Amino acid sequence: MIWGPRGGSAVGVLAVAVLGTAGLGGSLFGLAGANVSQDRVVLVGGTLIDGRGGPPIENATIVMEEGRISSIAANLTEPFPEDVDVRSIAGKWIVPGLIDAHVHLATNPAAPEWRRRTEAQLEAMVRGGVTSVRDMAGDARAFPDLVDALARNEIMGPDVYYSALFAGPDFFDDPRVKQASIGVEPGDAHWARALTMESAVDEAVRQAAATGATGLKVYAAVSAPLLARISAEAHRRGMKVWSHATIFPAKPSEAVDAGVDVLSHAAYLVWEGSPRTDDFTRRALGDFEGIPVDHPDMSALLDQMARLGTLLDATLLLMDRLVDRDDAGPRRLEWSADVVRAANQRGVRIVAGTDLATGSGRAPPVHGEMAILVERAGLSPMEALVAATRNAAAAIGIESRVGTIEVGKEADVLILGRDPLADIRNTLAIEQVFKRGVALIEP
Ligand SMILES: [Zn+2]
């Protein structure tokens, strides 16, 4: 039974039983026509890739109702009620909305035209299939208004989740931090905070949470004991902890031990094999020649991440873009791809984050991140899709609501004209984008 009364959770439960059953007959639509609303959109006949990594479901029927997925069925033979918005998508593919787990939208909101350019970027993102993003530090004062405008549909874009940045005092000479906290002494902002072992970490986390941030980004110049305190306090408040893979002096394994949820930038994992240093300015210049990815220290680290469920925000496309920035560039890219391959093989969950901007009118870079995960790091197209959907949702902590196409989840759904499992670059063949069940672009 798929056409139950609106809004009843029993609809979904029953429909799950329908899923995967071929040759359905009888009276599935016992309540067909009853209380049927025009706000139900039904996608019929496509191949469903639900973001969980299992085999695709052919000839799927997906009902979106009041912003959520209310039913999923396969090989449905029963006729549809007349007053439902049925859209045949035979020959197409259905995937969850994509999530870029590493963007920077508000590094300098005081810059001229910031709001207009940011709105253009957000629109390009959602038109390009990105329905949620994780912002990895900027001026948190800029976000509540942006998030509010998105929620009111005044502007078009993905859901934006943002962070407050914590680091040691030495980091606060960085010009990006100064730009992102104009009017406040560097290191004193609630969203860009210098901490030492003497700091009141509980107070700092409370103030960071009050900015509306979903997580704390820990950047540099933080010791392992301080990180452990930050992490414990953040989790006590229900915030995520998002750390650079090495934060100098704390090593990657110490960040994992401290319970951080996500490590960013696969290249920085190399510092696990090097002598401890607090020179964070060298973070992109690790010993890529001397520490092979199969070094015992690296294998132990990856196994520890897999065991504790620490996600890896690889940012491989960024390493590709930076390949000419310094002499280490080519080797850094190669090493990063190899360590992501090893991490994936050892059971570490890979997350698609780009650390790159979306140009107005251009495809969002998360498509390129998925492609490089497949082409250079050996992920399957399915694994790359999961990295940009379920795993990215897990990184933000929103996996109970989005990231997969399952009954009860928000209806963030893309219709693709070509098979992304045949070629991951087919995620660019977007024909329709639904955000919470509302069509944002139509064929
Ligand atoms: Zn970043």
Side-chain angles (χ1 to χ4, degrees):
M1 195 272 284
I2 196 165
W3 306 111
R6 285 175 53 194
S9 59
V11 177
V13 173
L14 291 168
V16 167
V18 171
L19 180 60
T21 307
L24 296 167
S27 58
L28 281 176
F29 302 137
L31 289 170
N35 299 316
V36 167
S37 155
Q38 291 290 353
D39 69 6
R40 283 179 181 176
V41 176
V42 185
L43 304 172
V44 181
T47 299
L48 171 63
I49 301 167
D50 67 10
R52 293 186 297 171
I57 296 155
E58 290 179 6
N59 193 16
T61 297
I62 295 158
V63 184
M64 301 186 289
E65 185 174 0
E66 294 176 344
R68 292 181 183 275
I69 311 284
S70 63
S71 301
I72 300 173
N75 297 317
L76 213 53
T77 53
E78 212 164 329
F80 296 99
E82 277 177 11
D83 52 353
V84 174
D85 178 0
V86 178
R87 304 184 183 196
S88 171
I89 53 165
K92 317 275 185 204
W93 286 261
I94 311 155
V95 300
L98 304 175
I99 301 172
D100 188 338
H102 198 138
V103 302
H104 292 274
L105 293 168
T107 306
N108 185 9
E113 301 279 290
W114 173 79
R115 179 65 183 233
R116 188 191 56 75
R117 284 186 291 107
T118 303
E119 288 182 8
Q121 206 181 136
L122 290 167
E123 182 169 344
M125 283 177 178
V126 79
R127 285 185 182 279
V130 176
T131 50
S132 299
V133 295
R134 179 178 70 142
D135 189 280
M136 288 296 279
D139 190 335
R141 291 171 293 189
F143 283 112
D145 182 51
L146 208 57
V147 168
D148 189 54
L150 288 161
R152 292 168 182 274
N153 294 319
E154 291 166 8
I155 59 176
M156 187 192 276
D159 291 341
V160 176
Y161 301 89
Y162 56 97
S163 51
L165 183 145
F166 282 8
D170 289 353
F171 177 64
F172 285 83
D173 280 341
D174 190 287
R176 295 167 300 173
V177 191
K178 290 181 179 171
Q179 270 180 354
S181 54
I182 289 170
V184 185
E185 191 66 25
D188 275 353
H190 294 179
W191 62 93
R193 171 71 76 181
L195 289 181
T196 69
M197 281 302 279
E198 280 67 54
S199 303
V201 173
D202 52 348
E203 179 75 353
V205 172
R206 187 182 65 73
Q207 290 170 336
T211 68
T214 300
L216 300 175
K217 178 173 184 177
V218 187
Y219 196 104
V222 171
S223 68
L226 177 56
L227 182 60
R229 283 176 58 193
I230 292 169
S231 181
E233 191 59 31
H235 288 149
R236 203 177 65 74
R237 284 198 175 267
M239 295 184 85
K240 289 285 176 185
V241 183
W242 302 324
S243 174
H244 266 189
T246 307
I247 44 176
F248 308 94
K251 287 192 169 199
S253 57
E254 291 170 330
V256 176
D257 265 340
V260 307
D261 299 287
V262 188
L263 294 183
S264 284
H265 308 306
Y268 299 174
L269 292 172
V270 72
W271 292 96
E272 183 68 16
S274 299
R276 185 185 301 279
T277 172
D278 56 9
D279 184 2
F280 62 83
T281 65
R282 292 187 51 76
R283 59 191 177 275
L285 301 172
D287 186 5
F288 302 113
E289 299 295 344
I291 319 275
V293 297
D294 59 357
H295 187 286
D297 289 354
M298 297 309 307
S299 302
L301 169 64
L302 298 178
D303 288 346
Q304 180 198 13
M305 290 177 71
R307 195 170 62 249
L308 296 180
T310 317
L311 295 148
L312 178 60
D313 166 27
T315 69
L316 284 188
L317 189 62
L318 175 70
M319 296 307 143
D320 184 59
R321 299 275 175 91
L322 296 179
V323 80
D324 295 324
R325 191 174 72 167
D326 49 53
D327 290 345
R331 185 68 190 112
R332 181 172 56 226
L333 170 61
E334 195 179 348
W335 193 94
S336 300
D338 288 348
V339 85
V340 172
R341 180 190 301 267
N344 186 48
Q345 286 169 351
R346 287 178 176 269
V348 177
R349 292 169 71 189
I350 310 298
V351 173
T354 66
D355 209 357
L356 296 165
T358 299
S360 175
R362 305 255 303 277
V366 71
H367 296 278
E369 185 70 26
M370 286 188 287
I372 200 169
L373 286 170
V374 170
E375 291 161 9
R376 295 203 67 140
L379 272 67
S380 68
M382 180 68 89
E383 287 169 336
L385 260 176
V386 170
T389 55
R390 186 189 63 186
N391 289 359
I396 302 172
I398 53 174
E399 69 273 30
S400 64
R401 293 193 288 109
V402 298
T404 57
I405 298 177
E406 293 179 88
V407 171
K409 296 279 175 89
E410 292 177 16
D412 291 356
V413 170
L414 312 183
I415 310 297
L416 305 178
R418 293 194 295 273
D419 182 2
L421 302 183
D423 180 348
I424 191 63
R425 292 181 183 268
N426 286 340
T427 57
L428 288 162
I430 295 171
E431 298 192 354
Q432 297 183 58
V433 175
F434 292 91
K435 183 90 185 72
R436 273 189 274 279
V438 176
L440 297 183
I441 66 169
E442 304 258 9

